Amino acid sequence: MGLLHDRTGRFSPLLTLTLVGLCLPAAWLAFRAAHGDFSGAAPAGPPGLPPGFADGPGIGGPAAGSGSTPFGPAAAPRFGAPDGGPGGDSARPIYAAIHLTGDWAFRFLILSLMITPFRRLLHWPRLVLTRRRIGLAALAYGLGHLGLYALDQEFVVSKIASEIALRIYLAIGLVALLGLIALGATSWDGAVKRMGAQNWSRLHRLAYLIAGLATLHFFMQTKLDVSEPTLMWGLFLWAMGWRWLQRDGERAVSLAWLAGLAVAAALATALSEAIWYGLATGVDPLRVLKANFTTVLGLRPCWLVLIFGLVAAASSLIGARRRGAPRPRAAAQDRPSRKERMVPETGRFRFCKSLR
């Protein structure tokens, strides 16, 4: 299968658009690098602060300039490195490139987990053709993320190793990347034949664990403004919840069950955000929950997860229309036995075409 063609050798607009979309962040990174965005002096100012962290009153907290978060007074981050990493973004603009590649690696990883749900919700079997290249794009951006970090450390292996050993969030990210490498190395068709379908499927189910580790890495390195990690975590929860619904077959495309999943994922997202801020910064979790019911800080991640879930539920109506009316199942007594479904041929048996 070529880059722009499907398995039959035909030109595929779907695969072409997917490839273009996956390359756009890299093109944007190259454009910014060519214009010197990642060299020279960086703009002054504290990096990584949440919206309203230093330029407006908090939710139930003191006004700007008093060292408060949007949710009230906060302690210094308890996880990972100080904000901005070693040296800070203001001292090393290449950190922007490191973060950009890491962000897109994580986004594509979460996107790859959405292919199976929407393949069924939209009744769009060909959508599965995009999953492999999206996963490989996540791996490519992850390797770029590590490569830029090594460049920032001047490729001194001892320094890189000590940083990873001292900073737990770097170790977690490395484990997630190693997992992606294992999945990428076995993503070709020949690997399925060599490993066997069952072993291959068991290995690739590690994608869920890898996504969880990547989420934790994202939270810990982001420090204070965890809006995007929280959103990605909520989408991950939705994807895992949908897979739980799929165990019962029809629930995975039921409008009522999908709407319930959207609400459950949104509530879990809001609760997770509150717990994280409480543990990482000392902010009162109740103030974080309160922020989800105001527009002072914009649309919070839990609401975005809810909107996504409801859109996914609505998309099941499109899939239902494309599937058509369900076919009635034959009664047990009318079904042919296993022996009747087998056709003799040259002294051996083969399954008839309907069972292949």
Side-chain angles (χ1 to χ4, degrees):
M1 184 169 65
L3 290 177
L4 307 180
H5 300 80
D6 58 22
R7 297 181 184 277
T8 65
R10 296 179 180 177
F11 173 76
S12 173
L14 173 62
L15 294 180
T16 301
L17 290 175
T18 301
L19 180 62
V20 171
L22 296 175
C23 292
L24 284 178
W28 174 241
L29 178 66
F31 176 81
R32 291 183 60 185
H35 285 74
D37 285 3
F38 306 131
S39 61
L49 299 182
F53 194 90
D55 57 0
I59 303 299
S66 58
S68 67
T69 71
F71 314 115
R78 299 173 183 171
F79 302 131
D83 255 335
D89 281 357
S90 60
R92 291 150 114 158
I94 195 175
Y95 264 67
I98 296 173
H99 291 162
L100 188 149
T101 50
D103 291 350
W104 280 104
F106 183 52
R107 291 165 187 165
F108 286 141
L109 178 59
I110 295 298
L111 180 60
S112 69
L113 298 181
M114 297 297 177
I115 298 301
T116 297
F118 280 93
R119 174 197 179 195
R120 186 170 181 197
L121 290 175
L122 296 172
H123 192 62
W124 190 4
R126 292 182 63 82
L127 188 62
V128 75
L129 298 176
T130 65
R131 184 172 56 193
R132 178 185 299 180
R133 57 182 60 193
I134 293 174
L136 290 175
L139 171 59
Y141 282 94
L143 292 173
H145 182 59
L146 178 62
L148 287 172
Y149 176 77
L151 174 63
D152 183 60
Q153 302 297 321
E154 300 176 338
F155 296 104
V156 179
V157 176
S158 59
K159 186 178 181 181
I160 296 172
S162 64
E163 284 288 316
I164 293 174
L166 292 173
R167 304 182 190 280
I168 183 63
Y169 73 97
L170 292 180
I172 292 173
L174 180 61
V175 171
L177 181 58
L178 291 175
L180 274 180
I181 292 173
L183 298 188
T186 56
S187 64
W188 52 296
D189 294 337
V192 182
K193 298 178 181 178
R194 292 189 179 187
M195 298 176 60
Q198 187 174 5
N199 290 332
W200 187 89
S201 296
R202 188 180 297 115
L203 173 65
H204 280 254
R205 279 197 291 269
L206 288 177
Y208 310 142
L209 176 60
I210 292 170
L213 291 174
T215 304
L216 182 58
H217 170 75
F218 199 4
F219 266 104
M220 295 180 74
Q221 70 88 27
T222 305
K223 316 301 185 302
L224 294 176
D225 183 11
V226 295
S227 296
E228 184 174 0
T230 302
L231 172 60
M232 295 293 120
W233 170 246
L235 296 179
F236 173 72
L237 291 177
W238 182 92
M240 294 299 98
W242 183 89
R243 283 166 170 81
W244 179 80
L245 293 179
Q246 191 184 29
R247 299 186 340 186
D248 194 318
E250 294 306 313
R251 287 183 181 179
V253 292
S254 167
L255 185 61
W257 280 96
L258 289 170
L261 174 61
V263 174
L267 291 175
T269 302
L271 185 60
S272 299
E273 182 185 32
I275 292 173
W276 177 264
Y277 272 110
L279 293 175
T281 68
V283 172
D284 183 358
L286 292 179
R287 286 183 172 174
V288 182
L289 290 175
K290 180 181 177 181
N292 289 307
F293 299 96
T294 179
T295 58
V296 172
L297 302 176
L299 209 57
R300 302 303 303 160
C302 66
W303 290 103
L304 296 176
V305 171
L306 177 63
I307 292 171
F308 172 87
L310 293 178
V311 170
S315 71
S316 68
L317 300 177
I318 300 175
R321 189 170 184 178
R322 298 178 68 176
R323 280 190 295 269
R327 298 179 181 178
R329 295 185 177 181
Q333 62 270 20
D334 297 333
R335 295 175 185 171
S337 66
R338 179 180 176 87
K339 290 185 178 180
E340 291 172 340
R341 296 199 305 265
M342 300 179 72
V343 182
E345 181 181 60
T346 63
R348 303 163 67 182
F349 289 95
R350 66 175 176 84
F351 284 105
C352 61
K353 184 177 181 180
S354 62
L355 297 178
R356 291 179 183 172

